Amino acid sequence: SESTTSSPSTTTSEAAPGTSDTSTPVTSSPATSSTSGSSSTASTEMSISSPTTADPSVIGSPAARLAGSMSTFGDSATAIVVASCEYANSAQGGLASPAATSPYIAARAYCLASGALYRGGAACGSCYRVSYDGSPATDPGRPGSAIVQIVGTGSAGTLNCHSDTFETITGTRTGVFPIVYEPVDCEVAEASGPMATVLDGMNAWYTKVIFSNLARSVASAGITVGAENFPMHRASGAAWSASTGGGTGGAQFQQT
């Protein structure tokens, strides 16, 4: 699907019957008001293209169910502010950041991933169905399941989760539990749709954004400035950047 907005204050969306096109707001951090282009550029255009059909070899496949372990980092509401995916980075307003609109962040259904699962930020924004079957663990618990979203890294085991979602899955708020986890598509906040939060936009040579509120993590991204296309590269976590060669004019982002 593909959706486009012509400016941060004007949103348009056209979809043929049976399609899933969604309007795509473009937001800026408090310190910026545009993407690549001269400092006088005020309007931003963005399109987000995302796969709408699950890959049966990954999502929903029995082979995608993996065994691991889960712990909890507690119930701190600000832990996500310093999490490495940067969805709620304090420089963008913390939990009030446009990049923190995911339903999983609002519900505190998020986790930090092991380095192997995090893969240098490639897992940022991805979702997993996590299940506990009642097997022996460090603490008494009961079987449960929940879908969680990855917001950073920092886990000795597979996942280190907010205690609210940890309790949903295990029935307790402490301990280390064996789990089975599998990738699933994320629920998105329909009111806002896919988001691109501009972190650095007042620069004709460079731009940096965070893509969020998507069904899956971002595998690749690009930016079009005027008639020129530029590849984007993962800067860190969920942030992507591009050198834009001094181009000016409206900008469009693409991600898959």
Side-chain angles (χ1 to χ4, degrees):
S1 65
E2 183 170 304
S3 56
T4 306
T5 61
S6 56
S7 72
S9 59
T10 304
T11 303
T12 60
S13 178
E14 297 181 0
T19 66
S20 58
D21 289 9
T22 307
S23 59
T24 308
V26 180
T27 62
S28 299
S29 65
T32 63
S33 60
S34 65
T35 60
S36 290
S38 66
S39 59
S40 62
T41 301
S43 66
T44 305
E45 296 180 354
M46 187 187 76
S47 63
I48 286 187
S49 300
S50 303
T52 57
T53 303
D55 181 350
S57 67
V58 180
I59 293 179
S61 168
R65 292 173 56 84
L66 300 170
S69 64
M70 179 180 64
S71 57
T72 175
F73 57 75
D75 60 3
S76 171
T78 60
I80 191 173
V81 174
V82 296
S84 57
C85 291
E86 299 188 73
Y87 292 121
N89 189 303
S90 58
Q92 303 148 36
L95 287 169
S97 167
T101 58
S102 161
Y104 301 93
I105 293 177
R108 297 181 293 280
Y110 51 78
C111 303
L112 306 177
S114 67
L117 182 60
Y118 186 68
R119 303 189 315 281
C124 284
S126 59
C127 289
Y128 292 86
R129 179 179 289 107
V130 181
S131 302
Y132 168 59
D133 65 2
S135 298
T138 62
D139 292 44
R142 52 101 179 106
S145 179
I147 295 176
V148 305
Q149 188 168 54
I150 303 302
V151 299
T153 187
S155 178
T158 310
L159 296 171
N160 189 23
C161 303
H162 191 286
S163 58
D164 285 3
T165 198
F166 184 87
E167 184 176 21
T168 298
I169 297 168
T170 66
T172 187
R173 297 177 74 86
T174 60
V176 179
F177 284 73
I179 55 169
V180 172
Y181 63 103
E182 59 182 318
V184 296
D185 281 347
C186 300
E187 179 185 348
V188 299
E190 297 293 344
S192 57
M195 301 289 289
T197 303
V198 179
L199 308 181
D200 188 342
M202 300 294 286
N203 189 330
W205 300 89
Y206 177 82
T207 194
K208 181 179 176 181
V209 304
I210 286 183
F211 298 108
S212 61
N213 199 35
L214 300 166
R216 302 191 189 180
S217 58
V218 178
S220 63
I223 180 173
T224 301
V225 181
E228 292 191 73
N229 299 317
F230 303 94
M232 301 191 79
H233 305 281
R234 190 181 301 278
S236 63
W240 291 74
S241 64
S243 298
T244 48
T248 60
Q252 291 186 329
F253 296 99
Q254 304 85 33
Q255 69 79 31
T256 57

